[in-house]
Amino acid sequence: MHRVLTSLGCALTAVLATAWSAPPPTEPARPATAPAAAIAPAPVPASDSAAATTVRTRDGLVRGAAHDGYRTFEGIPYAAPPVGNLRWAAPHRPAPWSGTRDATRPASPCPQPSGEVPGGSTDEDCLHLNVTTPDGAGPTRPRPVIVWLHGGGFTTGAGSSYDAHRMATRGDAVIVTVNYRLGALGFLAHSGLPGSGTFGLADQQAALRWIRTEIGAFGGDPHNVTLAGESAGGYSVCAQLASPAAAGLFDRAIIESGPCTGRPDRPFAPSSVPLTEARATGADLAARVGCGSARHVLACLRRVDVPRLLAEQDTDQQPAHTTPLLLSDPAAAIAAGRFHHVPVLIGNNHDEGNGWAAGIVQAGHPVNADTWPDAAATFFPSPGQAKAIVREYPVHGIDGGPVFGAVIGDANFACPTVRTGSLLADHVRVWRYEFADEHAPPLTSGTPPFPLGAPHASELPYLFDLGGRPRDLTAAQHRLADTMIDYWTRFARTGDPNGPSSPPWPRQTVLSLAPDHVVPTRTVSTRHHCAFWDALG
């Protein structure tokens, strides 16, 4: 039952993602190495507008698109296609091209089931990034850089889902969104495979190295790079903070709803697993696709087509620790102070768990006074835990969905974020927030079984136009969006989000973010029972 409900929760993440999925292009995205379609062997145009959208990288010229106040460069390869013998290999430098590469639309997302990407993707040629740069930025006037790692449970998502032009223009910053390998293609572990369990994280580091080298040509400051992400993207930031291989690749960090102290036994927030466990999962996958008894297991796996891998991979995907890239669990590394000491902005949403609880209720698992003890035991099977949770979070009557949402949110997000912030603050400057707009626009159509408040991912439309479509925000919500962008981009610029145009944000507080109510508090919402979770273990 635990696996069934966990799978429902993970599936709901994909359903939520469809709310911001971009409409499918009218023709397929152009492959990174297609010389006839994507690369025009012509000189750089001489007009001012064309010159402004043509940039020379070390691999060749790219031509982007000009917009009102900003430019975009999409589908730029930062690594070679991970196909053939490069499937489950460290990222390699992309092949240079001649002529000018078309960078006016995104390239393919990394392989994934249908969800955020309509119809999914099976294209392994996916290691691309997208750059949004404000007008006026250039090599002589560089802007701070924010590198965005998308969420999606390490299974779904694409950098191109996040239209960053509002952040770029209002915040006067260069924004880079990144694709990285997902699912079994990103996190397979096997005893004979160097880099086991961390290929997706290695891709992120390859993108950061590309940015340090190339972003100056797009108007970004290569010496002022902020690594940011939400959910699995936020946990990726945690992993990069703890990874020795990421040393020197970024200067600040933003972690949204991806606490570094996530645990595999609390299945909604992202976490990492020991390499031994990841290898067992990899062996399981090999057996399911018919390679378990092959003489050369890896060669066999590299011949399996992508749709079959996607069909057989686990719903849950997690990076592996106790590996060369990730020496220990990020939670342990941060607790011991063994992480890159950069300023951190970190937070979560007030009602993180409500979306999952609502999806599980709608899937036919009602939570009421009678069913609540069994539901709690499903997710917390250790002896005594479920009874303690039922006492701490009592359900009266038939509407226990919000209580279930509070348990999911507190156990997986709010309280681990408090813990993460405290551990980080022992060593670096930390700025903490809680997104608390109880009327945040819904991420899915239809009517949920109870009001969702500010659930997981609900802050994203305030920072990005998801799927290229602006959200329907009220005037007060637009002001909150502007305030959040101001805080995020000032932090990226200086390491301090404070400025004259926004309410003060003292470091020792948690900034509560709601329309017309941006206030610092001394602790997270009293709804969160963090002392209880600390005692429960």
Side-chain angles (χ1 to χ4, degrees):
M1 183 65 170
H2 180 275
R3 174 59 59 186
V4 170
L5 293 187
T6 301
S7 297
L8 280 169
C10 295
L12 182 69
T13 304
V15 172
L16 290 172
T18 63
W20 60 74
S21 58
T26 55
E27 56 182 295
R30 294 169 177 168
T33 56
I39 303 167
V44 179
S47 70
D48 289 344
S49 60
T53 56
T54 302
V55 171
R56 183 179 297 278
T57 74
R58 63 181 178 178
D59 298 313
L61 294 166
V62 295
R63 184 174 57 247
H67 308 272
D68 184 13
Y70 66 98
R71 294 166 290 146
T72 55
F73 301 84
E74 299 180 285
I76 303 173
Y78 66 84
V83 298
N85 287 334
L86 294 186
R87 179 189 278 186
W88 298 308
H92 284 52
R93 180 174 170 176
W97 56 86
S98 59
T100 302
R101 181 187 186 85
D102 181 8
T104 60
R105 56 183 175 173
S108 295
C110 285
Q112 58 191 279
S114 180
E116 179 175 330
V117 175
S121 172
T122 59
D123 190 350
E124 291 181 87
D125 183 2
C126 66
L127 298 185
H128 303 89
L129 51 76
N130 314 290
V131 180
T132 304
T133 185
D135 285 351
T140 60
R141 298 184 62 203
R143 303 297 198 265
V145 180
I146 297 176
V147 182
W148 180 257
L149 303 178
H150 66 77
F154 294 113
T155 305
T156 65
S160 57
S161 294
Y162 299 82
D163 180 334
H165 79 274
R166 286 189 289 119
M167 189 180 291
T169 54
R170 182 175 180 86
D172 199 25
V174 174
I175 315 300
V176 184
T177 64
V178 178
N179 288 354
Y180 54 94
R181 280 175 283 182
L182 302 166
L185 289 163
F187 300 99
L188 177 81
H190 186 275
S191 58
L193 192 60
S196 271
T198 58
F199 300 107
L201 299 179
D203 294 341
Q204 296 167 6
Q205 293 181 1
L208 287 167
R209 286 191 290 271
W210 186 97
I211 288 160
R212 284 290 204 204
T213 302
E214 304 290 344
I215 204 65
F218 296 85
D221 184 350
H223 305 295
N224 189 1
V225 173
T226 296
L227 185 61
E230 184 267 346
S231 195
Y235 191 78
S236 294
V237 177
C238 296
Q240 303 302 353
L241 281 168
S243 172
L249 294 182
F250 57 97
D251 307 285
R252 321 190 202 289
I254 297 175
I255 302 168
E256 299 178 30
S257 301
C260 304
T261 52
R263 292 165 37 169
D265 63 342
R266 296 186 184 167
F268 292 98
S271 61
S272 61
V273 295
L275 181 58
T276 52
E277 184 176 331
R279 284 178 174 172
T281 301
D284 226 24
L285 176 68
R288 289 200 299 271
V289 299
C291 294
S293 58
R295 183 175 180 182
H296 301 290
V297 174
L298 293 175
C300 178
L301 283 168
R302 288 186 171 119
R303 291 192 296 268
V304 177
D305 62 23
V306 171
R308 189 172 185 196
L309 286 172
L310 294 179
E312 297 294 344
Q313 71 182 17
D314 279 359
T315 303
D316 300 329
Q317 294 291 325
Q318 296 156 308
H321 61 76
T322 54
T323 62
L325 187 145
L326 199 56
L327 298 180
S328 62
D329 183 352
I334 288 169
R338 296 191 304 268
F339 64 95
H340 306 304
H341 287 190
V342 300
V344 177
L345 189 156
I346 184 171
N348 59 277
N349 297 348
H350 184 271
D351 306 290
E352 292 275 5
N354 278 359
W356 282 291
I360 290 169
V361 168
Q362 287 181 312
H365 300 277
V367 179
N368 53 50
D370 293 331
T371 64
W372 179 221
D374 288 340
T378 296
F379 285 93
F380 300 92
S382 297
Q385 282 196 341
K387 289 183 178 179
I389 291 165
V390 169
R391 285 195 301 270
E392 185 74 12
Y393 296 80
V395 170
H396 304 289
I398 62 172
D399 190 12
V403 177
F404 189 17
V407 170
I408 294 172
D410 289 358
N412 293 273
F413 293 97
C415 299
T417 298
V418 171
R419 175 68 173 153
T420 298
S422 297
L423 292 172
L424 292 167
D426 288 340
H427 304 277
V428 299
R429 291 184 297 165
V430 174
W431 309 91
R432 293 173 49 204
Y433 74 88
E434 183 179 67
F435 179 78
D437 183 0
E438 62 179 331
H439 300 295
L443 295 176
T444 58
S445 60
T447 303
F450 57 87
L452 299 185
H456 191 64
S458 58
E459 88 284 7
L460 293 176
Y462 293 71
L463 300 171
F464 302 96
D465 287 355
L466 301 173
R469 296 190 295 269
R471 280 282 159 193
D472 184 16
L473 302 178
T474 67
Q477 288 171 330
H478 275 293
R479 289 192 294 272
L480 177 60
D482 289 345
T483 298
M484 291 173 63
I485 287 173
D486 290 345
Y487 282 133
W488 266 235
T489 53
R490 278 197 300 260
F491 174 80
R493 180 170 283 105
T494 68
D496 186 336
N498 286 290
S501 63
S502 304
W505 185 347
R507 262 179 35 213
Q508 295 78 15
T509 65
V510 178
L511 194 71
S512 177
L513 296 166
D516 295 330
H517 190 71
V518 178
V519 295
T521 63
R522 285 291 167 185
T523 183
V524 295
S525 164
T526 54
R527 166 183 173 174
H528 304 314
H529 301 207
C530 294
F532 167 78
W533 291 103
D534 287 344
L536 191 67

